[in-house]
Amino acid sequence: MTEVLEILANANFWAAAIRIATPLVFGVLGALICERAGVLNLGIEGIFTAGAMAGWMAAWLGAGLWGGVLAAALTGAGFGLLHALLTVPLGLSQHVSGLGITLLATSAAYFAYRTALPDVSSPPRIEPFGALDIPVLSELPFLGPALFQHTALTWLALAMVALVWWVLARTPLGLAIRAVGDNPDAVDAQGLSVYGLRIGAVMAGSALMAVGGAFLTMAAFDAFFFGMVNGRGWICIALVIFASWRPWKALLGALLFGAFDAFQVRLQTELGGAVPGQIFLMAPYLLSIVALVLAARRADYPRALLTPWFKGQR
Amino acid sequence: MSQTTEGGTVPPRAGAGEVVLEMAGLTKRFGAMLANDRIDLTLRRGEVLALLGENGAGKTTLMNLLFGHYLPDAGQIRVADAAGALQPLPPGAPDAAIAAGIGMVHQHFTLAHNLTALDNILLGTEPLFALRRDRRAARARVRALMERSGLAVALETQVGRLSVGERQRVEILKALYRGARILILDEPTAVLTPQEADRLFETMSAMAADGLSVIFISHKLREVLAFSHRILVLRQGRNVGGMATAEADEAAIARLMVGEESPPPPAKREAPGAPLLVLDGVTLPGEGARAGLDGVSLTVRAHEIVGIAGVSGNGQAALAALLSGLAAPAAGTMSLAGREIRRFTPAGFLEAGVGRIPEDRHHDGVVGAMTLSENLVLEELDTPEVTSGGFLRRGAIRARARAAIADYDIRAPGPDVPVRLLSGGNIQKLILARVFGRSPQLILANQPTRGLDFGAAGAVVRRLLEARERGAGVVLISEDLDEILGLADRIAVLQGGRLAEARSRDRGAIGMMMVGQAA
């Protein structure tokens, strides 16, 4: 028990939780936008990888850190466009296309890495995003290191939560996106383009996913490694359901998962030896499955999720 | 539901205003099916035009062409602009149709259930990339519109929580909010109670007097005669005639619609025989707002049709689930032909000779993506006529489908057409063929004629009477009291999950029972 309290009383734990949550926030928001428009995007795992690769590579080639973020977003939007073209106008299975995108984007990222750096054993490092110094707040005891010493990308993730919420809840565009995920016929009957809205939403969502990936190589670490995404995309797919497709609840879900993950790492070192380490590694996933089971029973899926819509057919 | 004409009649004004809409030679094919064949139509300002025809006659297709949901294969549409000059309407573009002042209320509403009524009305009316929405001003405009038109809805309620009648009003407001001068209503009364239907037509008549032009699709002669100025009849995709409503008579229109008259044969009535179905004190929990069954006892004998009257939601769904083997009673017993049922499975019930005509024929009755012949044999995949050695006997199945198409007058291009391309009436005929092909002993007919034109409804009635004559028992669940009075030998009323036998066949007395007051 004292070990638990010790962990919670350490500012490092809270900082780690937020750091782990940051890429998930981007990913959940991205998946949420896609699904609100009626398209499941299982390409997320691959898009994370491609975004991590593209952002880091662009920065290494001299585009600057923000240039890297932009490169990641564009890469994500590109894979999103491919997924959208396959699933929206062509109406192919969203599961199959999404998994295909994941395989394609992951392999493309590894291929680009090997092509650009054929002979290196360890990847070149970039100067990553540093912690953003906020006057006064960053200096506070405990709260400063726990909450206010994060990189610009973490603050961008928070801003994105607010932005996505505002767009979905308060703008005509958000209204149309929510409607197209519930009943595309309603959108078509009002003279709006079902295809346009869905393709746009999937591209925007995929761009956010890729920025989540870029956080890994440009803020959490400083280089690209194979297998570094490590299932974060899949967690986002589960968190969307936990969040019932609402941006602020998505933030909450990502933070909870981040806290679990940070907690288990620390508990592992505290209790090392007594319990196999794999149990700790499993814990966040087990807990998210439990949370999902509880949340999903009441889940109010967008009614048209997974249902292709074709112009001129009922 | 037959005395709704009082009070709402409109004086015919055919030929009054200038022409606002003109269709010339519209043609639309779906695969081998010719849904619309060179149809001409004109509509004038302030006119209420009724588009009449059987299911599958092409009425809905024609309106979907007008609204741009479908691309026509041939033909042209011209619509009057604000100055009154006829302009060609670009085909296949709903936004162009909306801009030209056409509003459409679909039979299956096009509303997003997760949005409020107001948001559904506003959808698509604001610039898409605005930073914020001025809902307050918009709400005031919609309020004013509701006052002017007499259509009232709770604007801040999610559409998923509104009643069907309210949803329809949202659809009409949506069209009016976008400045519709021509309003298309696709079978507007199919889902409404008689009172709601009357109110709707009174509102529409008042708005037509105000200059709105209305086209409404229907196959209910009564409302067409009461509320339209002019009638246009479609049959098998062709325009077979039009007339001013004032000069129309029922028999003439019916002949136009179906081609020839075929009155139902006088039914022979035999004395009821052995009990086929006995329910004794059956209790079944309800689902959400819908009542279950509460201590229901019922006996259905051979040569007997028992009508179950009542307002929907009072236990009909539970009774239907019980009789299909989809739900087991929490208390009480059920026996079929003298044998008590212990295992409630749909397959077991089929085996025991129960035939089911489900309430939602699209959803529970057929598999839309499968062909007509496949759907026809769905319930007997284990019989030697259908399978042999684990393989489907495709030739035999096709032959059977062809015979069913002929016997049951299913209007379809062939046995291999996917069922989702058929109209509701033809799907119902397919279900009839499937059910009656097995000569069931007990038939559950749940709202069997709802939404059907009288050709298809007549086929349902004829088959039910034949089954009774053959010695089957029929449980007829219907919200249409006239249908029950016309068909049933005995009548029971479901109210709040309780079933009570009606002592008289008096409409008033049964009506009182339906709303929960002892007659």
Side-chain angles (χ1 to χ4, degrees), chain B residues 231-254:
Chain B
I231 298 172
L232 192 70
V233 182
L234 296 189
R235 185 169 80 229
Q236 295 184 2
R238 270 196 297 277
N239 177 350
V240 291
M243 65 200 80
T245 308
E247 298 150 14
D249 80 289
E250 215 162 310
I253 303 173

Side-chain angles (χ1 to χ4, degrees), chain B residues 133-172:
Chain B
R133 305 172 49 213
D134 195 352
R135 287 179 100 242
R136 190 190 303 258
R139 191 185 305 129
R141 279 201 296 279
V142 175
R143 282 258 157 75
L145 196 59
M146 291 203 302
E147 219 135 277
R148 211 162 56 235
S149 62
L151 299 157
V153 272
L155 286 180
E156 294 301 342
T157 309
Q158 278 197 358
V159 164
R161 299 213 185 92
L162 295 179
S163 74
V164 175
E166 288 173 304
R167 288 181 198 180
Q168 184 175 58
R169 295 203 280 281
V170 175
E171 282 278 17
I172 296 171

Side-chain angles (χ1 to χ4, degrees), chain A residues 166 182-183 188 190 312 314, chain B residues 69-70 111 113 123 131 178:
Chain A
W166 177 267
D182 186 87
N183 185 358
D188 184 54
Q190 292 292 64
R314 278 172 299 167
Chain B
H69 282 313
Y70 297 153
L111 297 170
H113 288 191
L123 180 65
L131 278 182
R178 310 200 72 164

Side-chain angles (χ1 to χ4, degrees), chain B residues 197-246:
Chain B
D198 279 359
R199 248 180 70 198
L200 171 71
F201 279 118
E202 273 158 33
T203 314
M204 288 301 116
S205 302
M207 291 169 65
D210 228 24
L212 184 75
S213 307
V214 179
I215 302 180
F216 77 93
I217 297 178
S218 180
H219 47 240
K220 294 183 185 162
L221 272 181
R222 183 176 44 74
E223 65 190 32
V224 164
L225 289 172
F227 294 104
S228 71
H229 301 128
R230 204 153 54 84
I231 298 172
L232 192 70
V233 182
L234 296 189
R235 185 169 80 229
Q236 295 184 2
R238 270 196 297 277
N239 177 350
V240 291
M243 65 200 80
T245 308

